[in-house]
Amino acid sequence: MTQSSPMASVFRSIAHARRSANRFQTNRTIPKDIVEDVLRSTMRAPSSFNLQPTQIIMVQDKSLKEALADDVMLGAGNQYRVRDCSCLAVFLGDLEAGKRIQRILELEKKSGKRHPNYLAMMPLSSSFLLGEGHAATLAKNIATDIMSHSKPMPKIESAREWSYKNTSLIAQSYMLAATSHELATTPMEGFDPRRAMEVLRIPDRYAIPLMVATGYDYDEPSETPTPRLDLKDIVFEDEFGAPWRK
């Protein structure tokens, strides 16, 4: 292997150390400064047009975790992880991300980092790509499918698909940031989102792609990682189906 930079070595150790915890130590509190450092690193995740269409609810209250475990989570494993973890990070995807455009545009202008041409086209381009409403999404896709025969055009996703995709990026950053502080995490999608919305008083504007239990691992880290497919089973070279060559 080509000699790697110190930064690559650090990231490699974090990426390989991350694991989904089966159990968490009970009655452990994560220091506030560590939680905030994890969150500040998390917020550096990329998003389409920098719209950052995500909210995070950090559930630390014991009674709320009990309510979520009893009434929301599916399966005994997820239930006791929610009860025992120090904090439950609930990730929300904004289904009305167009309402963020003006605020983000103002921040971009103040930063001075964007070209004037980008700032001029950003509101229209981002609004067009946001598939808010089934009728609007259908109409845009019909138009872009026709135009795609003559020039490259985007495929318009539903608001839910788009927000879930962007929220997944920030959730992965969260788990890696937590791992850098030797915290354990477990991403979970086994829950009733309708009940979760009610317990956490979440407006209908948002959806819940996933929750991440966070805390201190009950078990000692295993030297044997969970299995992964080989590179050749996942990665192609240049075109679909072409073997990846070392």
Side-chain angles (χ1 to χ4, degrees), residues 51-96:
L51 289 180
Q52 305 162 60
T54 305
Q55 307 292 149
I56 309 171
I57 301 176
M58 303 294 283
V59 181
Q60 302 173 88
D61 181 81
K62 185 175 181 179
S63 62
L64 268 179
K65 288 191 294 178
E66 288 284 349
L68 289 168
D70 291 340
D71 301 328
V72 174
M73 306 309 295
L74 304 178
N78 284 348
Q79 290 171 350
Y80 66 66
R81 290 185 190 99
V82 169
R83 282 195 184 92
D84 295 346
C85 71
S86 304
C87 177
L88 179 68
V90 180
F91 287 83
L92 311 181
D94 191 352
L95 304 181
E96 299 176 14

Side-chain angles (χ1 to χ4, degrees), residues 7-191:
M7 187 177 294
S9 298
V10 169
F11 180 79
R12 190 181 307 114
S13 66
I14 293 171
H16 285 262
R18 190 216 61 79
R19 60 188 293 271
S20 293
N22 290 318
R23 299 176 61 187
F24 292 91
Q25 297 177 35
T26 59
N27 301 316
R28 293 270 324 251
T29 301
I30 305 172
K32 195 76 170 181
D33 60 329
I34 290 180
V35 174
E36 290 198 359
D37 186 68
V38 168
L39 291 172
R40 291 187 187 280
S41 294
T42 296
M43 296 308 296
R44 297 308 305 166
S47 61
S48 181
F49 287 97
N50 197 30
L51 289 180
Q52 305 162 60
T54 305
Q55 307 292 149
I56 309 171
I57 301 176
M58 303 294 283
V59 181
Q60 302 173 88
D61 181 81
K62 185 175 181 179
S63 62
L64 268 179
K65 288 191 294 178
E66 288 284 349
L68 289 168
D70 291 340
D71 301 328
V72 174
M73 306 309 295
L74 304 178
N78 284 348
Q79 290 171 350
Y80 66 66
R81 290 185 190 99
V82 169
R83 282 195 184 92
D84 295 346
C85 71
S86 304
C87 177
L88 179 68
V90 180
F91 287 83
L92 311 181
D94 191 352
L95 304 181
E96 299 176 14
K99 294 179 179 179
R100 296 174 180 254
I101 293 174
Q102 192 56 43
R103 183 180 181 189
I104 296 301
L105 182 61
E106 291 171 0
L107 289 174
E108 294 281 20
K109 289 178 178 178
K110 289 179 181 178
S111 74
K113 293 184 177 296
R114 300 288 192 182
H115 192 278
N117 289 347
Y118 173 88
L119 296 175
M121 55 77 70
M122 182 267 202
L124 181 60
S125 296
S126 56
S127 295
F128 181 77
L129 289 172
L130 295 176
E132 296 182 3
H134 295 297
T137 302
L138 178 62
K140 290 177 183 178
N141 270 319
I142 291 174
T144 54
D145 284 348
I146 294 172
M147 297 173 68
S148 178
H149 294 292
S150 57
K151 63 179 181 179
M153 294 298 296
K155 186 72 175 177
I156 308 300
E157 301 168 314
S158 71
R160 187 177 298 270
E161 289 174 320
W162 183 89
S163 68
Y164 275 31
K165 178 173 65 178
N166 282 274
T167 300
S168 294
L169 294 173
I170 198 170
Q172 177 68 10
S173 292
Y174 172 86
M175 289 185 281
L176 292 174
T179 301
S180 75
H181 281 282
E182 299 184 343
L183 295 171
T185 57
T186 302
M188 298 175 293
E189 57 180 355
F191 55 85

